[in-house]
Amino acid sequence: MPTNGINKALKLQFGLINYENRYLTAEAFGFKVNASGISLKKKQIWTLEQDEQDGQVVFLRSHLGRYLASDKAGKIICGAEKPDPECRFLIVPQSDGRWALQSEPYQRYFGGSADYLSCFAQAIGEQELWAVHLALHPQASLLSVARKRYAHLSASDGEISVDSNIPWGVDSLVTLVYLDGKYSLKTCDSRFLSNDGKLVKENSNTTSFTLELKSGKLAFKDCDGKYLAPVGPTGTLRSGRCSKPGKDELFDLEESHPQVVFQAANKRFVSVKQGVSISANQDVETDMETFQMEIDKESKKPMFRTNGGSYWTLVTHGEIQSTATDVEVNTMFDIEWRGHRVALKASNGKYVCIKKNGQLSAVSDTVGDDELLLMKLINRPMLILHGENGFVCHHKNSNTLDANRSVYDIFSLLFNNGAYHIKSVNGKFWYVSSSGLVCSDGEKAEDFFLEFPEHGRVAIKGSNGKYLRGDQGGTLMCD
């Protein structure tokens, strides 16, 4: 395993909120910048990049791929295609978690409101302070930089332990909940981490942390000014003694890939328990029956990683084994979404079938019962959806759903024989109305189907055979 984490650390993307509660916004016209945005949409998202020579220096890149810069007179522009000296900023974190941004070449501070932004203040005042609202998908894996281990829910100890070599199974999913400028860490069983290391049902002062950045890594500061760190042999996640973040207090967020379990027509689970050959011969779901689905960005084909770190691969005579350590043509499959089941096609153009002895082999030209697999997503019991225009959230005054919000609601995802039921915050279910609206107040559940067409994306199909989308007005439709 690479020691720096098995998945990519997420590029930090966020919105910056000024003292008037408005977001820093990059306009396409004339590469102008203002602080007028009322919510976190595409124009309000900034990506943090670090200077390779000097880790303290950062660049802020807009959604247009241009860099924020300040000239000698404090004038702010955002038109540079490559970061030049005037694009260099330093982050000066404040005790309340807000940031001041200082121009490195001119030592002045950036602030202001609406169309009146400048980088000319000699000292930090209220106008020069920015709150940070993370824009990345809030469900991720949490990696301790010092221990090189992942956080996971340890239900038996009632804590989050930082002692996993790989983020495997639903226990390794961490959900970040953003409220009033602070973040809480939510486990897969819907509890919040308190600063004393205990898991509690309610979000409160002790479960709220301000986010700090140190050389591109995250630190979580509690209400007493102390930082979360792994403590003791199992790496219990709790506030330590430090009031300054050192290596022990730093974390990376890594993207959390879908992890799935396959069940064949013989009702048994596909497993790597028997060594390198992959067979449908187990009756229980463990880590050995769980596979991480990683979708290649170029070909958009999925690969399946085992918990030992190897990939499924096509070998001679069509057999599927878990012997590949690198991504190559033979580790990529085509996936066909066939309602309640999926079919997999290997790189030889043949469908994967389950032989009499349970072994997986890519030898079929057509799809019958032996080629159909039930695929269950196991690491998204809580569903948070983010589309082109924002997050999916309950509409304030009706039973419909918005798909353009800067805040998200957390829905429950319940597996049902190859389909899924989506449960609302109020305990009612999603369904599709006759006019194609997705409604959130159903008494009985309706089937939805999840498809993974490309890296980091899911498509959701309704029972009407149509796909979900956010329309121009921001309403979630299934048409």
Side-chain angles (χ1 to χ4, degrees):
M1 288 287 143
T3 51
N4 58 344
I6 70 166
N7 301 321
K8 258 186 116 136
L10 290 161
K11 260 218 154 85
L12 286 178
Q13 295 189 314
F14 44 75
L16 289 169
I17 306 167
N18 76 350
Y19 67 106
E20 294 181 329
N21 223 15
R22 290 284 194 263
Y23 286 84
L24 185 66
T25 303
E27 302 291 358
F29 180 71
F31 299 112
K32 285 192 168 63
V33 185
N34 61 53
S36 308
I38 51 172
S39 67
L40 186 61
K41 302 275 180 64
K42 204 179 198 166
K43 289 180 176 178
Q44 286 78 30
I45 291 179
W46 297 84
T47 303
L48 190 76
E49 293 183 4
Q50 274 179 294
D51 182 61
E52 285 171 11
Q53 272 71 49
D54 180 352
Q56 294 310 305
V57 171
V58 298
F59 305 106
L60 290 167
R61 187 162 57 93
S62 75
H63 68 106
L64 300 162
R66 304 298 179 112
Y67 291 87
L68 192 72
S70 159
D71 69 11
K72 200 171 178 176
K75 184 171 178 252
I76 289 288
I77 39 172
C78 191
E81 289 185 33
K82 287 198 173 63
D84 59 40
E86 294 194 331
C87 303
R88 295 167 70 87
F89 287 91
L90 300 170
I91 295 172
V92 186
Q94 306 298 300
S95 59
D96 64 359
R98 287 189 293 176
W99 291 356
L101 292 166
Q102 185 180 28
S103 159
E104 193 222 23
Y106 306 120
Q107 304 290 299
R108 300 295 180 98
Y109 295 96
F110 170 52
S113 67
D115 290 324
Y116 302 100
L117 297 177
S118 73
C119 189
F120 207 61
Q122 289 180 320
I124 301 170
E126 190 60 17
Q127 296 208 2
E128 285 71 45
L129 291 175
W130 300 87
V132 183
H133 184 176
L134 281 188
L136 43 86
H137 194 282
Q139 293 181 303
S141 308
L142 191 65
L143 175 72
S144 158
V145 171
R147 297 206 177 193
K148 300 188 167 72
R149 293 287 182 277
Y150 290 89
H152 67 99
L153 169 67
S154 172
S156 55
D157 303 325
E159 63 176 35
I160 294 179
S161 304
V162 185
D163 61 357
S164 276
N165 288 327
I166 48 173
W168 212 253
V170 67
D171 299 344
S172 297
L173 185 72
V174 175
T175 301
L176 290 176
V177 179
Y178 178 75
L179 193 67
D180 299 331
K182 303 268 173 93
Y183 285 87
S184 305
L185 296 174
K186 198 172 192 179
T187 53
C188 63
D189 63 358
S190 291
R191 291 187 291 172
F192 294 98
L193 177 70
S194 181
N195 60 356
D196 61 3
K198 294 195 169 60
L199 294 171
V200 296
K201 281 283 181 211
E202 299 298 318
N203 207 345
S204 70
N205 199 23
T206 60
T207 61
S208 299
F209 301 88
T210 50
L211 217 50
E212 284 190 10
L213 275 192
K214 193 178 169 190
S215 42
K217 309 293 179 195
L218 296 177
F220 296 89
K221 186 164 74 172
D222 75 6
C223 53
D224 301 325
K226 303 287 193 249
Y227 291 85
L228 282 184
V231 178
T234 60
T236 305
L237 193 59
R238 51 171 303 179
S239 289
R241 298 187 197 92
C242 291
S243 47
K244 263 207 163 94
K247 195 172 181 187
D248 281 341
E249 288 74 33
L250 297 182
F251 297 89
D252 259 332
L253 282 176
E254 291 188 1
E255 67 179 312
S256 167
H257 291 276
Q259 290 179 345
V260 297
V261 168
F262 290 106
Q263 196 176 19
N266 64 10
K267 292 286 179 260
R268 306 188 91 178
F269 296 110
V270 173
S271 177
V272 286
K273 215 171 217 152
Q274 54 291 316
V276 296
S277 68
I278 299 173
S279 296
N281 61 4
Q282 295 300 314
D283 297 321
V284 288
E285 300 171 31
T286 71
D287 287 351
M288 296 278 200
E289 290 73 46
T290 301
F291 301 99
Q292 179 157 288
M293 185 155 101
E294 299 176 9
I295 297 173
D296 181 62
K297 284 188 169 142
E298 304 301 307
S299 68
K300 301 190 176 167
K301 292 183 182 194
M303 296 161 287
F304 300 99
R305 188 201 280 261
T306 70
N307 75 327
S310 58
Y311 289 97
W312 292 19
T313 186
L314 175 70
V315 295
T316 49
H317 309 305
E319 201 185 320
I320 307 295
Q321 291 188 349
S322 62
T323 49
T325 48
D326 295 319
V327 169
E328 52 188 37
V329 170
N330 285 349
T331 61
M332 293 187 198
F333 293 81
D334 282 298
I335 191 160
E336 290 182 8
W337 309 97
R338 295 178 172 240
H340 291 263
R341 300 289 183 272
V342 299
L344 298 175
K345 196 189 259 185
S347 54
N348 61 0
K350 305 277 189 189
Y351 288 101
V352 173
C353 87
I354 311 298
K355 292 165 114 171
K356 289 279 178 281
N357 63 1
Q359 200 161 6
L360 269 65
S361 215
V363 292
S364 303
D365 292 318
T366 56
V367 175
D369 284 348
D370 292 336
E371 290 74 30
L372 288 172
L373 293 163
L374 180 72
M375 184 172 100
K376 174 166 79 164
L377 177 68
I378 63 142
N379 63 337
R380 286 296 182 278
M382 296 187 288
L383 187 68
I384 295 173
L385 294 171
H386 186 276
E388 182 78 351
N389 301 309
F391 286 105
V392 173
C393 197
H394 285 279
H395 190 284
K396 280 193 180 64
N397 312 316
S398 78
N399 64 347
T400 60
L401 294 152
D402 294 331
N404 63 351
R405 300 280 292 282
S406 59
V407 291
Y408 46 85
D409 278 329
I410 297 179
F411 302 97
S412 302
L413 192 65
L414 309 165
F415 183 71
N416 178 47
N417 183 28
Y420 296 85
H421 296 158
I422 303 174
K423 199 161 147 188
S424 277
V425 183
N426 57 14
K428 301 282 177 54
F429 291 95
W430 285 22
Y431 64 94
V432 180
S433 75
S434 54
S435 59
L437 277 166
V438 182
C439 304
S440 63
D441 60 347
E443 290 301 332
K444 63 181 219 296
E446 194 168 288
D447 280 349
F448 289 88
F449 300 91
L450 302 190
E451 301 180 5
F452 299 92
E454 55 182 79
H455 182 93
R457 299 278 184 272
V458 61
I460 302 180
K461 198 183 212 174
S463 300
N464 61 2
K466 303 279 205 310
Y467 289 95
L468 265 58
R469 69 178 181 102
D471 72 3
Q472 289 313 108
T475 304
L476 191 64
M477 302 291 295
C478 183
D479 59 359

